[in-house]
PDB file of all heavy atoms in Angstrom:
ATOM      1  N   ASP A 295     -29.066  13.657  43.634  1.00  0.00           N
ATOM      2  CA  ASP A 295     -30.283  14.441  43.447  1.00  0.00           C
ATOM      3  C   ASP A 295     -30.139  15.251  42.163  1.00  0.00           C
ATOM      4  O   ASP A 295     -29.311  16.163  42.089  1.00  0.00           O
ATOM      5  CB  ASP A 295     -30.508  15.363  44.649  1.00  0.00           C
ATOM      6  CG  ASP A 295     -31.782  16.183  44.500  1.00  0.00           C
ATOM      7  OD1 ASP A 295     -32.675  15.760  43.738  1.00  0.00           O
ATOM      8  OD2 ASP A 295     -31.875  17.262  45.128  1.00  0.00           O
ATOM      9  N   VAL A 296     -30.946  14.913  41.161  1.00  0.00           N
ATOM     10  CA  VAL A 296     -30.843  15.574  39.859  1.00  0.00           C
ATOM     11  C   VAL A 296     -32.209  16.160  39.490  1.00  0.00           C
ATOM     12  O   VAL A 296     -33.100  15.442  39.045  1.00  0.00           O
ATOM     13  CB  VAL A 296     -30.390  14.604  38.754  1.00  0.00           C
ATOM     14  CG1 VAL A 296     -30.163  15.358  37.447  1.00  0.00           C
ATOM     15  CG2 VAL A 296     -29.138  13.851  39.156  1.00  0.00           C
ATOM     16  N   PRO A 297     -32.406  17.479  39.653  1.00  0.00           N
ATOM     17  CA  PRO A 297     -33.660  18.096  39.217  1.00  0.00           C
ATOM     18  C   PRO A 297     -33.789  18.020  37.696  1.00  0.00           C
ATOM     19  O   PRO A 297     -32.797  18.117  36.976  1.00  0.00           O
ATOM     20  CB  PRO A 297     -33.520  19.551  39.684  1.00  0.00           C
ATOM     21  CG  PRO A 297     -32.405  19.541  40.676  1.00  0.00           C
ATOM     22  CD  PRO A 297     -31.489  18.442  40.264  1.00  0.00           C
ATOM     23  N   VAL A 298     -35.012  17.841  37.213  1.00  0.00           N
ATOM     24  CA  VAL A 298     -35.252  17.716  35.773  1.00  0.00           C
ATOM     25  C   VAL A 298     -35.974  18.962  35.260  1.00  0.00           C
ATOM     26  O   VAL A 298     -37.074  19.280  35.741  1.00  0.00           O
ATOM     27  CB  VAL A 298     -36.095  16.462  35.464  1.00  0.00           C
ATOM     28  CG1 VAL A 298     -36.419  16.396  33.976  1.00  0.00           C
ATOM     29  CG2 VAL A 298     -35.356  15.208  35.903  1.00  0.00           C
ATOM     30  N   PRO A 299     -35.405  19.680  34.292  1.00  0.00           N
ATOM     31  CA  PRO A 299     -36.081  20.850  33.706  1.00  0.00           C
ATOM     32  C   PRO A 299     -37.394  20.439  33.040  1.00  0.00           C
ATOM     33  O   PRO A 299     -37.441  19.467  32.275  1.00  0.00           O
ATOM     34  CB  PRO A 299     -35.067  21.362  32.673  1.00  0.00           C
ATOM     35  CG  PRO A 299     -33.740  20.825  33.132  1.00  0.00           C
ATOM     36  CD  PRO A 299     -34.039  19.508  33.746  1.00  0.00           C
ATOM     37  N   GLU A 300     -38.466  21.197  33.320  1.00  0.00           N
ATOM     38  CA  GLU A 300     -39.787  20.835  32.809  1.00  0.00           C
ATOM     39  C   GLU A 300     -39.832  20.856  31.282  1.00  0.00           C
ATOM     40  O   GLU A 300     -40.410  19.975  30.654  1.00  0.00           O
ATOM     41  CB  GLU A 300     -40.836  21.785  33.380  1.00  0.00           C
ATOM     42  CG  GLU A 300     -41.057  21.640  34.880  1.00  0.00           C
ATOM     43  CD  GLU A 300     -42.151  22.563  35.386  1.00  0.00           C
ATOM     44  OE1 GLU A 300     -42.807  23.206  34.540  1.00  0.00           O
ATOM     45  OE2 GLU A 300     -42.353  22.636  36.609  1.00  0.00           O
ATOM     46  N   GLY A 301     -39.247  21.894  30.700  1.00  0.00           N
ATOM     47  CA  GLY A 301     -39.275  21.994  29.242  1.00  0.00           C
ATOM     48  C   GLY A 301     -38.547  20.851  28.572  1.00  0.00           C
ATOM     49  O   GLY A 301     -39.005  20.297  27.560  1.00  0.00           O
ATOM     50  N   LEU A 302     -37.409  20.477  29.131  1.00  0.00           N
ATOM     51  CA  LEU A 302     -36.637  19.370  28.573  1.00  0.00           C
ATOM     52  C   LEU A 302     -37.411  18.065  28.704  1.00  0.00           C
ATOM     53  O   LEU A 302     -37.396  17.230  27.785  1.00  0.00           O
ATOM     54  CB  LEU A 302     -35.297  19.260  29.301  1.00  0.00           C
ATOM     55  CG  LEU A 302     -34.218  18.397  28.650  1.00  0.00           C
ATOM     56  CD1 LEU A 302     -33.882  18.905  27.257  1.00  0.00           C
ATOM     57  CD2 LEU A 302     -32.964  18.367  29.512  1.00  0.00           C
ATOM     58  N   LEU A 303     -38.105  17.884  29.823  1.00  0.00           N
ATOM     59  CA  LEU A 303     -38.919  16.683  30.009  1.00  0.00           C
ATOM     60  C   LEU A 303     -40.071  16.647  29.009  1.00  0.00           C
ATOM     61  O   LEU A 303     -40.371  15.595  28.432  1.00  0.00           O
ATOM     62  CB  LEU A 303     -39.452  16.631  31.440  1.00  0.00           C
ATOM     63  CG  LEU A 303     -40.377  15.455  31.775  1.00  0.00           C
ATOM     64  CD1 LEU A 303     -39.679  14.124  31.534  1.00  0.00           C
ATOM     65  CD2 LEU A 303     -40.880  15.559  33.213  1.00  0.00           C
ATOM     66  N   THR A 304     -40.696  17.786  28.780  1.00  0.00           N
ATOM     67  CA  THR A 304     -41.791  17.860  27.807  1.00  0.00           C
ATOM     68  C   THR A 304     -41.307  17.464  26.415  1.00  0.00           C
ATOM     69  O   THR A 304     -41.968  16.704  25.696  1.00  0.00           O
ATOM     70  CB  THR A 304     -42.382  19.281  27.773  1.00  0.00           C
ATOM     71  OG1 THR A 304     -42.913  19.603  29.062  1.00  0.00           O
ATOM     72  CG2 THR A 304     -43.495  19.375  26.745  1.00  0.00           C
ATOM     73  N   ASP A 305     -40.144  17.977  26.026  1.00  0.00           N
ATOM     74  CA  ASP A 305     -39.589  17.646  24.705  1.00  0.00           C
ATOM     75  C   ASP A 305     -39.235  16.159  24.615  1.00  0.00           C
ATOM     76  O   ASP A 305     -39.465  15.521  23.583  1.00  0.00           O
ATOM     77  CB  ASP A 305     -38.344  18.494  24.434  1.00  0.00           C
ATOM     78  CG  ASP A 305     -38.669  19.966  24.256  1.00  0.00           C
ATOM     79  OD1 ASP A 305     -39.846  20.284  24.023  1.00  0.00           O
ATOM     80  OD2 ASP A 305     -37.738  20.798  24.359  1.00  0.00           O
ATOM     81  N   GLU A 306     -38.658  15.607  25.687  1.00  0.00           N
ATOM     82  CA  GLU A 306     -38.273  14.192  25.689  1.00  0.00           C
ATOM     83  C   GLU A 306     -39.499  13.296  25.582  1.00  0.00           C
ATOM     84  O   GLU A 306     -39.501  12.317  24.829  1.00  0.00           O
ATOM     85  CB  GLU A 306     -37.493  13.877  26.969  1.00  0.00           C
ATOM     86  CG  GLU A 306     -37.039  12.435  27.108  1.00  0.00           C
ATOM     87  CD  GLU A 306     -35.922  12.062  26.161  1.00  0.00           C
ATOM     88  OE1 GLU A 306     -35.313  12.986  25.576  1.00  0.00           O
ATOM     89  OE2 GLU A 306     -35.663  10.853  25.990  1.00  0.00           O
ATOM     90  N   LEU A 307     -40.550  13.629  26.323  1.00  0.00           N
ATOM     91  CA  LEU A 307     -41.786  12.847  26.249  1.00  0.00           C
ATOM     92  C   LEU A 307     -42.384  12.901  24.850  1.00  0.00           C
ATOM     93  O   LEU A 307     -42.818  11.875  24.307  1.00  0.00           O
ATOM     94  CB  LEU A 307     -42.798  13.380  27.268  1.00  0.00           C
ATOM     95  CG  LEU A 307     -42.579  12.983  28.728  1.00  0.00           C
ATOM     96  CD1 LEU A 307     -43.489  13.802  29.640  1.00  0.00           C
ATOM     97  CD2 LEU A 307     -42.826  11.496  28.927  1.00  0.00           C
ATOM     98  N   ALA A 308     -42.408  14.090  24.255  1.00  0.00           N
ATOM     99  CA  ALA A 308     -42.968  14.240  22.907  1.00  0.00           C
ATOM    100  C   ALA A 308     -42.178  13.422  21.893  1.00  0.00           C
ATOM    101  O   ALA A 308     -42.755  12.768  21.016  1.00  0.00           O
ATOM    102  CB  ALA A 308     -42.984  15.717  22.509  1.00  0.00           C
TER     103      ALA A 308
END
Side-chain angles (χ1 to χ4, degrees):
D295 181 23
V296 186
V298 176
E300 292 183 7
L302 194 59
L303 177 58
T304 299
D305 292 343
E306 180 71 14
L307 283 169

